[in-house]
Amino acid sequence: MSHPVSIPFKSASAAGVVSVSPTSSTLHERMRQNSLASPSVRQPKALHPIENENLRLLLVENISQGAVKAFQSQGWHVDHQAKAMSEDELVEKIGQYHAIGIRSKTKITERVIKAASKLLVIGCFCIGTNQVDLATAAKAGIPVFNSPFSNSRSVAELVISEIVALSRQYFERGYEMRQGLWNKQSKNCWEVRGKTLGIVGYGHIGSQLSVLAEAFGMRVLFYDVVNLMPLGSARQVDSLTTLLTESDFVTLHVPEIPETLNLISKTQLAQMKDGSYLINNARGRVVDIPALIEAVKSGHIAGAALDVYPAEPGANGSPFNDQLNAWSSELRSLKNIILTPHIGGSTEEAQRMIGEEVSGALTRYLTFGSTLSAVNFPEVDLRAIALEEANHVRICYVHLNQPGVLKQVNEVLSPYNVEKQYSDSKGDTAYLMADIADVSLQDVNRLRELISHTSANILTRLLACTDLAAICEICQRRQSPRTDLKNPFGIMAEGFSAFVHWPTAPLTDSLVRKASSAIHTTPTFLDRPTADGKKLLQWASYDSIDHDLTLGNQVDVLSSSYIIRKALIRKHFLSRCIHAHLLKHPESALRNAVPQTWDLDISFADELDDMWADELWDLGKDMDESEAEGKGKWWILKPGMADRGNGIRLFNSKDALQKIFEGFEEDESDGDVGDAEDVDAAPLKDDTAVVTSQLRHFVIQVTSFLIDCFWQRAHSVALVLMQDYILSPLLLDPYQFPVNGGPSNKPEDLKGYKFHLRAYCVASGALKLYLYTRILGLFSSEPFGVPHVAPEDEPSAISLAPHLTNTSLQTHRGEEGVRLFDELVGCHILSGDEQERLTLTAEHIADIQNQMADVLAETFRAALGTAIHFQALPNAFELYGIDFLVSHVPSAASTSPKFQVKILEVNAEPAIELTGPRLTWILEDLFKSIGTVCVEPFFQQDEESASELWAVGETRHYLRKCLEAEVRGAGGW
């Protein structure tokens, strides 16, 4: 259901709540404030963008929490992160967002805009907009808003402080004091009173700066390409040369455009007075920095202050070195050079005001269609629809600026009463807003379809009150988002039925129903699976599916689970099928992707004595050598049928393993295993207590069952896996980028946490395999360390909290331990060679994802090789959760990749609720993608048209195709 939109009266002018002209907003603001005080004036009605609850916004570069809260108050989903994003990251993510907020580091390029199929608006939470391809955005129907005034005072004050700091050299004196050196001197230190300040660019910042400088007793000159009225006693000069030759301090406040690139270079620096100072808080490429370095070295320029640079790091804590800018180290070595990390507008006041201004502009566009103050777009606004004006719809129509368009639109609107209408153009883009009265529910889709199919359409949006908003689609772009299909309109067979039933997974049930309804022909939902003459979709839990229907009708029934798949989802079966596959295919990617594994059937601890001489001989030899030579190797014990981290133990010797099994038997001898509900309800003191209570309870239950069966002379065993424990995992600190935009850990406070990657993959038919490219990182609750236990201690004394990464055992942490892998770009890598400290890059993640795809494909090939335990069906598909670990290979291993992916386990019906509310959107997109790729083609009449070639390695709908195999038999099994 749509959420009500609340626009405070104090900001109503910009919201377009009452009729305004782009050139008369001040007058209308005064009228509005007076009229709103009168009870006889009609009150405005809040409009809603269509499917208001599904609007999703991405805010990067640590945009203020005030903006985040403003958007969330509208009922919109907001993803907020502290760091900037690269072009590749944006191309991967931007397709799911309707709005994005950036600052100066994130670049919105033509490539990004082409990938932004849903993007409606861009907000630059700063002054400049050169980081956005404005022309391409306009052509795509995307207005761009910025905040040209809000941080002006902050930048002006910074410049004043830099003028004083440079003239008194107190940055140098302060540094010397920190080094323990007392160096009191007055040589080449000056008062600023009576000096001349030259301002290049007399806009909002430059004009405020001139007032502050005059208050210090400075003489102010300014140069601008436009004739402007000076404030105070400032004087405009006719050329840049005049300003440079007369000024003691030169400060730059110009945009980055072709005309200003290297505005201050070797020639201009030579024109400046001997012993003068240069300040740049504008844009990094306005100054030729190598030329500045030479001028400072020669003594011609006495000092400089730089807050901006041609290339800047993407995240706090990143290095500012010669790899970023070739001259960085040389610049840092100069005396009386003030270098700051682009903090001109970084004050609490400026960020608050920027957040308010830009979030207000984006909200007004999304909710009312107003483009007032857009920098690349026609500025259009309409007065509000009043509360008593029921059944009104606002049409927001972005189109090519060409003759005849308004005639086409007015022909569509001619049957209706057009209450008000306004149109304007800017370059090749035009924008029309119109309010239509007395629109019925049946009319809404007709209006949208007719207007969006006009020849000049770029983007058509319909805004409505709550009642109408619920029935419309969000927008209609000129280019269909389904151009990758030969059958773009999804021609379906005449109706089909759907059985959806997830009794213990309400989130999955909700996502499945939403994804099923998003298919072009909405199914009829059934309470139980039945063959009623229609095609049937069984998208339900394994136990709820009627598997006889799946096997009996491969043409008309599609089910969401394979029937036989033990080879994947049981640890011991998976281990055995991979082992068998490697014997046949020793070159397989699985060779280095699976830790050495032993699986055994054991009932009692004393059976280990015989096993050391038989099936565990290799393991025993390895343990003896490790203990004798001090190698420090460890192994991990996993029950073959347990899930969610239950039953795990670490050990490093035969004696330790013996004690683990003896401990299980001792616990059983206590008699009462307790009540599971009591264990879950017990207060949890720390992460170790969580692990111990849950694991011991599980193992006791298994041991009790085995002993009872033994006395009944029934054959029963425990299935256990033992693996080499990886002591070199990739380590990151998730608290470097807190999930809620809070303060991040300083570099010296970072700690390495172990994590595993949770990837979702979808197997379809017999057999295609897809990897969902939005991968999660699940972190341990404590920093990683090599396991340690004193010889006299029991193995249970080892704290598992630094080693277990399953979030089901960390419920007290909330969502802190769950991150999108892509969100971790820029994190310091805290594992591997300490001399090789790196940050995680998008290229690292791409390499890891490539390895995951290869390992996943080989794992399913291995499963297909054990037909008795995995049988692919042509009329089935299934979602799996795959757990991977990334080991950090030391740099000495030069022939190996730096990061090595290890597969841990495969889970059917994965516990997706552990993803947490913050990242639920990736699950929504996952299930929609499954509907599009696995379900919809099955029910299309023209199957050939729906099966366009999709190459292995290609990504569509955020699903990367990993494998396409033909299983023997006609159409599968």
Side-chain angles (χ1 to χ4, degrees):
M1 177 173 285
S2 298
H3 299 269
V5 179
S6 174
I7 304 296
F9 285 152
K10 66 178 182 180
S11 61
S13 64
V17 177
V18 180
S19 176
V20 298
S21 162
T23 60
S24 59
S25 59
T26 302
L27 175 62
H28 280 286
E29 173 62 19
R30 294 174 184 170
M31 295 174 63
R32 177 179 296 112
Q33 290 175 350
N34 293 331
S35 65
L36 288 173
S38 171
S40 62
V41 176
R42 298 186 305 171
Q43 297 299 304
K45 174 183 292 186
L47 298 183
H48 297 258
I50 307 311
E51 291 190 359
N52 183 51
E53 70 276 9
N54 288 329
L55 285 184
R56 181 173 295 148
L57 288 75
L58 174 63
L59 304 181
V60 299
E61 300 187 66
N62 207 23
I63 288 169
S64 74
Q65 283 296 313
V68 176
K69 293 176 182 177
F71 291 131
Q72 290 174 337
S73 70
Q74 304 294 332
W76 301 335
H77 178 96
V78 180
D79 289 321
H80 182 231
Q81 65 179 52
K83 59 187 179 65
M85 296 181 69
S86 68
E87 183 182 54
D88 288 340
E89 291 176 290
L90 283 172
V91 168
E92 171 68 20
K93 293 189 174 206
I94 196 69
Q96 298 306 310
Y97 293 99
H98 303 97
I100 183 172
I102 64 174
R103 293 177 71 184
S104 57
K105 296 176 184 176
T106 301
K107 312 298 182 185
I108 307 294
T109 63
E110 179 179 5
R111 179 172 167 239
V112 172
I113 292 171
K114 286 182 177 179
S117 59
K118 296 181 180 179
L119 195 65
L120 300 175
V121 64
I122 298 170
C124 296
F125 286 73
C126 52
I127 292 178
T129 56
N130 62 295
Q131 67 274 40
V132 179
D133 187 333
L134 298 176
T136 300
K139 290 177 182 178
I142 302 171
V144 179
F145 296 91
N146 69 332
S147 178
F149 318 116
S150 296
N151 68 354
S152 302
R153 178 71 180 199
S154 296
V155 177
E157 289 184 1
L158 178 64
V159 174
I160 288 293
S161 70
E162 290 168 335
I163 291 172
V164 176
L166 288 170
S167 63
R168 297 297 299 274
Q169 300 184 25
Y170 65 65
F171 266 69
E172 293 299 315
R173 303 292 84 80
Y175 175 77
E176 291 165 352
M177 287 292 289
R178 289 178 179 274
Q179 301 302 309
L181 177 64
W182 182 274
N183 188 18
K184 179 181 179 181
Q185 61 174 293
S186 60
K187 184 179 179 180
N188 294 326
C189 295
W190 317 95
E191 292 182 355
V192 300
R193 180 180 55 176
K195 305 302 187 294
T196 299
L197 173 63
I199 302 173
V200 182
Y202 201 67
H204 301 295
I205 297 173
S207 57
Q208 284 200 48
L209 175 59
S210 74
V211 174
L212 295 176
E214 286 194 344
F216 272 73
M218 300 186 76
R219 170 175 172 255
V220 177
L221 305 177
F222 69 89
Y223 170 71
D224 202 295
V225 293
V226 177
N227 288 328
L228 297 167
M229 179 180 292
L231 299 180
S233 301
R235 178 171 64 88
Q236 185 168 8
V237 296
D238 59 357
S239 69
L240 178 61
T241 300
T242 301
L243 181 139
L244 295 175
T245 57
E246 294 188 26
S247 300
D248 300 298
F249 297 86
V250 175
T251 180
L252 308 176
H253 303 284
V254 296
E256 184 180 296
I257 56 178
E259 293 78 9
T260 62
L261 294 181
N262 287 333
L263 178 69
I264 304 298
S265 191
K266 184 176 181 179
T267 301
Q268 291 74 28
L269 289 165
Q271 293 171 349
M272 293 177 63
K273 295 170 66 174
D274 280 337
S276 59
Y277 304 87
L278 179 66
I279 299 171
N280 182 23
N281 292 292
R283 284 290 183 260
R285 295 197 292 171
V286 170
V287 175
D288 181 352
I289 295 184
L292 173 63
I293 292 172
E294 293 305 316
V296 173
K297 283 183 173 181
S298 70
H300 177 63
I301 300 298
L306 302 177
D307 188 48
V308 290
Y309 310 90
E312 297 179 357
N316 286 343
S318 300
F320 183 75
N321 54 26
D322 290 352
Q323 292 180 343
L324 197 66
N325 296 292
W327 35 256
S328 292
S329 58
E330 190 174 11
L331 179 66
R332 296 198 312 269
S333 69
L334 299 177
K335 295 290 184 67
N336 209 26
I337 298 291
I338 300 173
L339 304 177
T340 51
H342 205 149
I343 60 171
S346 297
T347 63
E348 295 288 347
E349 294 87 351
Q351 293 308 306
R352 185 188 70 249
M353 289 188 289
I354 290 173
E356 291 173 355
E357 183 175 357
V358 181
S359 64
L362 267 60
T363 299
R364 289 189 291 273
Y365 177 69
L366 291 172
T367 55
F368 293 103
S370 172
T371 55
L372 293 183
S373 76
V375 297
N376 67 327
F377 221 69
E379 295 189 82
V380 177
D381 194 16
L382 287 180
R383 74 174 185 271
I385 298 174
L387 287 174
E388 62 269 23
E389 294 174 327
N391 298 330
H392 281 50
V393 169
R394 174 164 292 180
I395 295 170
C396 303
Y397 175 54
V398 185
H399 59 91
L400 299 175
N401 185 17
Q402 60 188 36
V405 177
L406 293 182
K407 178 181 178 182
Q408 296 179 37
V409 174
N410 287 328
E411 286 178 353
V412 174
L413 301 181
S414 60
Y416 304 94
N417 180 22
V418 180
E419 291 272 328
K420 44 192 176 293
Q421 184 175 347
Y422 188 90
S423 180
D424 197 3
S425 62
K426 186 173 185 176
D428 295 330
T429 304
Y431 184 40
L432 165 73
M433 290 176 65
D435 286 351
I436 315 301
D438 302 321
V439 179
S440 68
L441 297 178
Q442 293 75 22
D443 293 332
V444 174
N445 281 327
R446 176 182 177 274
L447 280 169
R448 176 183 53 78
E449 289 294 326
L450 291 175
I451 295 175
S452 65
H453 283 84
T454 54
S455 59
N457 178 70
I458 296 176
L459 173 69
T460 300
R461 299 174 64 221
L462 270 64
L463 307 179
C465 63
T466 303
D467 294 338
L468 290 177
I471 69 168
C472 307
E473 296 180 9
I474 186 158
C475 64
Q476 184 70 35
R477 290 192 184 273
R478 188 177 187 182
Q479 296 81 12
S480 168
R482 295 178 55 79
T483 53
D484 58 327
L485 296 179
K486 292 180 180 178
N487 181 9
F489 298 104
I491 301 173
M492 308 291 288
E494 230 180 278
F496 70 98
S497 301
F499 171 64
V500 177
H501 188 61
W502 299 85
T504 61
L507 176 59
T508 302
D509 193 276
S510 171
L511 294 173
V512 168
R513 290 181 185 276
K514 186 178 292 187
S516 301
S517 299
I519 297 172
H520 280 76
T521 297
T522 302
T524 301
F525 288 99
L526 305 176
D527 293 330
R528 57 186 180 85
T530 181
D532 57 359
K534 292 183 179 180
K535 286 196 170 188
L536 173 65
L537 168 64
Q538 297 189 93
W539 201 341
S541 65
Y542 183 88
D543 293 335
S544 301
I545 291 173
D546 187 331
H547 297 291
D548 289 337
L549 286 176
T550 307
L551 289 173
N553 194 337
Q554 296 186 358
V555 176
D556 294 327
V557 177
L558 176 67
S559 300
S560 64
S561 176
Y562 296 106
I563 300 173
I564 298 174
R565 70 271 207 266
K566 287 183 179 179
L568 292 168
I569 66 173
R570 297 300 182 213
K571 296 182 183 70
H572 50 293
F573 280 109
L574 177 63
S575 171
R576 292 168 186 173
C577 85
I578 288 177
H579 179 71
H581 184 74
L582 286 173
L583 291 176
K584 298 178 183 178
H585 307 281
E587 76 292 347
S588 168
L590 293 173
R591 170 62 59 189
N592 297 316
V594 180
Q596 187 174 1
T597 304
W598 298 264
D599 67 275
L600 63 151
D601 304 337
I602 186 169
S603 299
F604 298 101
D606 55 14
E607 296 178 18
L608 282 173
D609 291 336
D610 294 332
M611 291 182 175
W612 294 127
D614 192 0
E615 57 260 57
L616 295 182
W617 186 86
D618 289 337
L619 174 61
K621 180 182 177 183
D622 203 6
M623 286 182 177
D624 292 338
E625 290 179 356
S626 174
E627 193 171 10
E629 300 174 14
K631 294 181 179 179
K633 291 189 68 173
W634 284 78
W635 290 264
I636 186 168
L637 176 72
K638 301 177 182 179
M641 298 285 287
D643 62 359
R644 300 196 181 186
N646 286 328
I648 290 176
R649 290 287 189 273
L650 297 176
F651 60 96
N652 62 349
S653 66
K654 292 179 179 179
D655 289 342
L657 182 62
Q658 185 79 24
K659 289 179 181 179
I660 288 173
F661 282 102
E662 289 174 352
F664 295 158
E665 293 180 356
E666 289 173 4
D667 291 336
E668 169 56 24
S669 67
D670 293 339
D672 185 8
V673 300
D675 186 350
E677 295 181 3
D678 294 338
V679 173
D680 291 339
L684 304 177
K685 297 180 180 179
D686 52 38
D687 287 339
T688 304
V690 175
V691 173
T692 302
S693 63
Q694 292 189 354
L695 301 189
R696 179 164 297 181
H697 178 70
F698 176 83
V699 174
I700 289 173
Q701 285 185 313
V702 174
T703 307
S704 174
F705 171 75
L706 294 174
I707 291 178
D708 288 345
C709 291
F710 174 80
W711 287 113
Q712 295 169 21
R713 288 183 166 78
H715 178 69
S716 182
V717 294
L719 303 171
V720 182
L721 275 81
M722 289 178 287
Q723 292 180 328
D724 285 344
Y725 186 59
I726 299 170
L727 295 176
S728 58
L730 173 61
L731 301 179
L732 305 172
D733 189 341
Y735 300 102
Q736 185 175 350
F737 299 128
V739 293
N740 295 317
S744 59
N745 281 351
K746 298 178 181 178
E748 61 269 20
D749 296 330
L750 297 179
K751 299 176 181 178
Y753 288 78
K754 178 183 173 182
F755 65 97
H756 80 261
L757 296 177
R758 162 54 64 92
Y760 295 108
C761 82
V762 187
S764 180
L767 176 82
K768 297 174 184 176
L769 184 67
Y770 307 93
L771 170 67
Y772 187 50
T773 56
R774 292 192 172 106
I775 298 164
L776 297 173
L778 307 183
F779 282 82
S780 63
S781 60
E782 293 183 6
F784 179 79
V786 175
H788 174 75
V789 63
E792 65 275 9
D793 289 339
E794 296 294 324
S796 59
I798 301 173
S799 172
L800 297 179
H803 308 281
L804 294 186
T805 54
N806 197 302
T807 53
S808 65
L809 304 178
Q810 305 170 20
T811 55
H812 61 295
R813 297 183 68 200
E815 298 179 275
E816 283 294 336
V818 183
R819 304 299 172 91
L820 263 179
F821 197 23
D822 289 342
E823 290 178 330
L824 301 172
V825 169
C827 275
H828 289 281
I829 296 173
L830 304 170
S831 51
D833 189 349
E834 290 188 4
Q835 305 301 318
E836 190 193 26
R837 279 291 179 250
L838 304 172
T839 56
L840 188 69
T841 66
E843 290 74 21
H844 290 146
I845 290 180
D847 172 64
I848 290 170
Q849 188 182 112
N850 290 338
Q851 292 187 55
M852 292 170 69
D854 293 342
V855 170
L856 197 56
E858 284 296 287
T859 300
F860 273 76
R861 285 194 183 99
L864 288 171
T866 56
I868 192 172
H869 295 309
F870 179 62
Q871 297 178 8
L873 299 172
N875 60 324
F877 65 95
E878 189 161 13
L879 171 67
Y880 298 96
I882 318 293
D883 290 341
F884 295 92
L885 184 73
V886 181
S887 66
H888 189 172
V889 180
S891 57
S894 56
T895 59
S896 301
K898 187 178 296 293
F899 304 117
Q900 176 66 56
V901 169
K902 310 282 187 181
I903 188 169
L904 301 179
E905 61 183 61
V906 180
N907 299 283
E909 298 183 12
I912 62 171
E913 68 277 1
L914 299 178
T915 301
R918 185 179 72 91
L919 295 175
T920 298
W921 64 270
I922 74 166
L923 302 175
E924 294 173 356
D925 292 340
L926 168 61
F927 280 82
K928 287 180 182 177
S929 297
I930 295 173
T932 299
V933 174
C934 302
V935 177
E936 193 168 302
F938 186 87
F939 295 102
Q940 283 180 337
Q941 289 178 336
D942 184 1
E943 292 187 15
E944 183 178 352
S945 68
S947 58
E948 183 183 354
L949 178 63
W950 184 342
V952 171
E954 184 182 355
T955 299
R956 300 181 189 174
H957 311 288
Y958 302 98
L959 294 176
R960 171 176 175 162
K961 195 171 194 179
C962 303
L963 175 67
E964 183 165 6
E966 290 188 12
V967 178
R968 61 186 175 88
W973 288 89

